């Protein structure tokens, strides 16, 4: 009886393929590697932080820019001669003056001013008064306010200065206007302002002209 060699009796083992531990590729069977989803609480925290940053930015913008108190400005203040007629014997005087005030409002809300008067004085005596109606200077805009004052000799006839100065041909006058108003921002922040203007006026009766020197100031509270 013949014996077979040992290598013919042992079954041959399949070859072993070595796969690297870190060289893994998804197959159709295993599918793609699932990605980790971010936790919902992290998204909520990010949204809350973003909202807080936006609110702080808006608050600083309104506080430092829109809510900032800006001074109401006087852009023009002058007087003009609109009409003149007079006689010395007997003394008669019909004098019409115009007072113009320019106001600039740089705020982001309208400047509302109350009704007031423009007063003309002659050596301390009230020579004429003209009412000025209440109004509004719109936000970030300018407005010119004109007022006309009629002066009659009967209001200053008892002044000892009137006849000599009419003979000399020059009448010194002065005007006073005080405007009180306020700027209200978003029905909360109030800026109170008082606009005071005055003019020193000299009317030349002979040349029927006049010269004036005007000034104004604004008080903010």
């Amino acid at each position: 009886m013949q014996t077979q060699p040992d290598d013919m009796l042992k079954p041959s083992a399949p070859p072993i393929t070595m796969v690297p531990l870190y060289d893994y590729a998804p197959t159709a069977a295993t599918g793609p590697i699932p990605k980790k989803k971010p936790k919902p609480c992290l998204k909520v925290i990010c949204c809350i932080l973003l909202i807080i940053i936006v609110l702080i930015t808006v608050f600083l913008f309104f506080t430092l820019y829109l809510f900032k108190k800006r001074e109401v400005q006087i852009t023009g203040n002058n007087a003009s001669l609109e009409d003149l007629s007079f006689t010395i014997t007997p003394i008669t005087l019909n004098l019409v003056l115009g007072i113009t005030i320019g106001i600039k409002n740089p705020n982001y809300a309208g400047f509302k001013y109350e009704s007031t008067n423009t007063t003309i004085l002659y050596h301390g005596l009230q020579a004429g008064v003209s009412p000025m109606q209440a109004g509004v200077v719109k936000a970030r805009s300018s407005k010119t306010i004109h007022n006309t004052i009629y002066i009659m000799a009967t209001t200053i006839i008892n002044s000892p200065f009137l006849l000599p100065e009419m003979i000399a041909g020059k009448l010194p006058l002065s005007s006073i206007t005080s405007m009180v108003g306020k700027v209200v921002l978003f029905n909360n922040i109030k800026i109170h302002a008082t606009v005071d203007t005055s003019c020193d006026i000299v009317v030349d009766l002979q040349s029927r002209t006049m010269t004036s020197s005007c000034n104004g100031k604004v008080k903010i509270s």
Side-chain angles (χ1 to χ4, degrees):
M1 185 175 179
Q2 297 181 352
T3 61
Q4 294 181 352
D6 294 337
D7 56 353
M8 297 198 53
L9 296 176
K10 297 180 180 179
S12 59
I16 299 174
T17 304
M18 303 297 292
V19 179
L21 295 177
Y22 298 100
D23 188 13
Y24 174 78
T27 61
T30 59
I33 300 174
K35 296 182 179 180
K36 293 183 178 180
K37 296 182 179 181
K39 296 181 179 180
C41 61
L42 183 60
K43 288 185 176 181
V44 173
I45 293 174
C46 292
C47 291
I48 293 175
L49 290 176
L50 180 61
I51 293 173
I52 292 175
I53 292 173
V54 172
L55 291 177
I56 292 175
T57 304
V58 172
F59 175 78
L60 291 176
F61 174 75
F62 277 89
T63 302
L64 301 178
Y65 192 71
L66 291 185
F67 289 165
K68 181 180 178 181
K69 291 184 179 181
R70 295 173 174 84
E71 184 175 302
V72 177
Q73 304 169 6
I74 300 174
T75 58
N77 182 20
N78 59 75
S80 60
L81 180 62
E82 297 187 358
D83 192 16
L84 172 63
S85 62
F86 69 96
T87 60
I88 295 179
T89 52
I91 296 178
T92 62
L93 175 64
N94 295 321
L95 178 61
V96 182
L97 299 178
I99 303 296
T100 302
I101 303 172
I103 299 178
K104 181 180 179 180
N105 176 25
N107 293 281
Y108 280 85
F111 171 65
K112 298 180 180 180
Y113 57 89
E114 303 172 1
S115 58
T116 185
N117 293 322
T118 296
T119 303
I120 300 295
L121 299 177
Y122 174 72
H123 290 287
L125 296 176
Q126 183 173 293
V129 177
S130 178
M132 182 182 296
Q133 295 181 352
V136 178
V137 183
K138 295 181 180 180
R140 300 185 63 79
S141 64
S142 300
K143 183 177 182 179
T144 300
I145 304 170
H146 183 78
N147 209 3
T148 301
I149 305 100
Y150 295 85
I151 299 171
M152 306 296 291
T154 53
T155 60
I156 54 176
I157 194 67
N158 294 326
S159 172
F161 304 100
L162 182 59
L163 182 58
E165 288 179 342
M166 288 187 68
I167 294 174
K170 294 185 184 296
L171 291 179
L173 302 167
S174 61
S175 70
I176 299 174
T177 305
S178 182
M179 301 171 57
V180 178
K182 62 183 177 181
V183 177
V184 181
L185 296 169
F186 300 97
N187 297 321
N188 187 16
I189 300 178
K190 296 182 180 180
I191 305 172
H192 296 271
T194 301
V195 180
D196 294 322
T197 63
S198 62
C199 293
D200 293 324
I201 303 167
V202 177
V203 179
D204 191 322
L205 300 178
Q206 301 300 325
S207 63
R208 297 179 182 273
T209 59
M210 65 166 286
T211 58
S212 64
S213 175
C214 301
N215 57 74
K217 61 182 179 179
V218 179
K219 299 178 183 178
I220 298 294
S221 60

